[in-house]
Amino acid sequence: MSKKSLYNHAVKKMIDYVDDKQTDMAESTMSVPCSAYTDPDGWQQEMDLIFKNRPIFVALSQELPNTGDYKTLQFLDKPLLITRTADGSARVMLNVCPHRAMQVATEEYGTRSRFTCQYHGWSFRNDGDLLAVADKEKFGEVDKSCHGLTQLPTYERGGLIFTVLNGDTEVDFEEHLGGMIEDIEDIGFDKWHFCGKRTIYGANWKIAYDGYLEGYHFAIAHPETVNPRTYSNIMHFENYGPHILLGFPQRTIHTLKDVDPEKYWKYENKGYDFIRTLFPNVSIFVAPEITQIAQIIPGPTPGENTTHLYFIHHTAPETDQEKQTLEDMIEWLRNVVDTEDYFMGLRIQKGIESGAHSHVMFGRNERGNQFFHKWVDYCLANDPSLPKPTL
């Protein structure tokens, strides 16, 4: 099915759901053991088999728009350095000097053609090659060709940069990202304006991610923010491999009844919205006011996560008023996620840790959550012969 046909189908289903007071549903309910959110051994397996062995998003292209731009990011136990090299390509490396393991870049963002270790002065090009050993006559012989910064696989497409934390793992980025990266590429994030970033903290990474995958909670958890715009508990789910295209009908979706059903695909944000998720930890909400990309980083313990919220807009602000409008929207979205969703998530974590119940439940209406947890289980089984989960 083409992208346009898929969108048209999803919108038609959302209109029907609103008319019939129904939603997209799984065949049955599903239970997940509470230990899936608390067990340290299980959490470590998730880190090793999911986060370190599969492509993960690490940066927006527009965070590094120019030659020499760089970004640092701590992801699990990996200090990352992402750079824009002279040929325009992105590089992802471990931000660790091969001499005594000092980080060579200490600022979150900057622009440099070379990095000099602040401990002993070894210097590196921004592609990671070792340039010079300080006072090399006294240090001794060093083969520069094999003492650069450790390189990780790098894939940039659609305005997003990905890597694999376990650099020795063979990964097919195209196969993993599938049709979802083509969908995102069509939006054109690589030409958009990077507005800024906010960082918030929450519960177990799956508790946080669960909140992005359903609208069952809108009426109760977001009565004055999300619910006035979007129907609660009415959703439609499509998937590209493990990634989800999640449709939410707006309360104005009835206006599309006068539109040619073959042109529904043109009306995103004008009657309906999509959330695009990238397994295992990214949620993208494209809106005309501003676009939010949420990146959930697990840890440092099973009951914690750090979430970076990145904000981009299809045009750069030209006036102070336009800039302030974007800043206000960033703060509004940040507050919705932090004080409503993540506030709830931290309470959920405490409830799970109390031992009150052995399992949590996902309803038939929480189809996206069920699909996500089936993919987590599939990855943890680490058996390619098993069938991949489907919606």
Side-chain angles (χ1 to χ4, degrees), residues 33-108:
C34 288
S35 59
Y37 300 95
T38 60
D39 178 59
D41 292 336
W43 182 85
Q44 190 60 57
Q45 279 192 306
E46 292 168 352
M47 301 307 103
D48 294 338
L49 295 175
I50 299 176
F51 281 91
K52 292 185 179 180
N53 268 352
R54 289 176 172 270
I56 56 162
F57 163 75
V58 293
L60 292 166
S61 298
Q62 289 305 315
E63 289 181 271
L64 318 166
N66 303 308
T67 298
D69 289 347
Y70 72 89
K71 167 189 176 178
T72 60
L73 175 69
Q74 184 70 36
F75 205 117
L76 305 181
D77 58 352
K78 307 293 186 183
L80 302 180
L81 174 60
I82 306 109
T83 66
R84 182 71 66 194
T85 64
D87 65 5
S89 64
R91 290 284 183 95
V92 182
M93 301 165 278
L94 293 182
N95 184 19
V96 180
C97 180
H99 171 215
R100 295 271 292 280
M102 175 65 180
Q103 294 185 8
V104 300
T106 55
E107 301 294 328
E108 185 176 13

Side-chain angles (χ1 to χ4, degrees), residues 176-216:
H176 174 77
L177 294 167
M180 183 58 84
I181 198 63
E182 295 175 7
D183 182 305
I184 292 170
E185 189 171 42
D186 287 344
I187 301 172
F189 288 159
D190 58 320
K191 299 178 179 63
W192 287 28
H193 173 71
F194 176 57
C195 302
K197 169 186 166 187
R198 299 292 187 273
T199 299
I200 60 177
Y201 303 92
N204 175 273
W205 72 277
K206 296 192 297 295
I207 289 177
Y209 206 51
D210 278 334
Y212 294 99
L213 296 175
E214 48 90 355
Y216 185 28

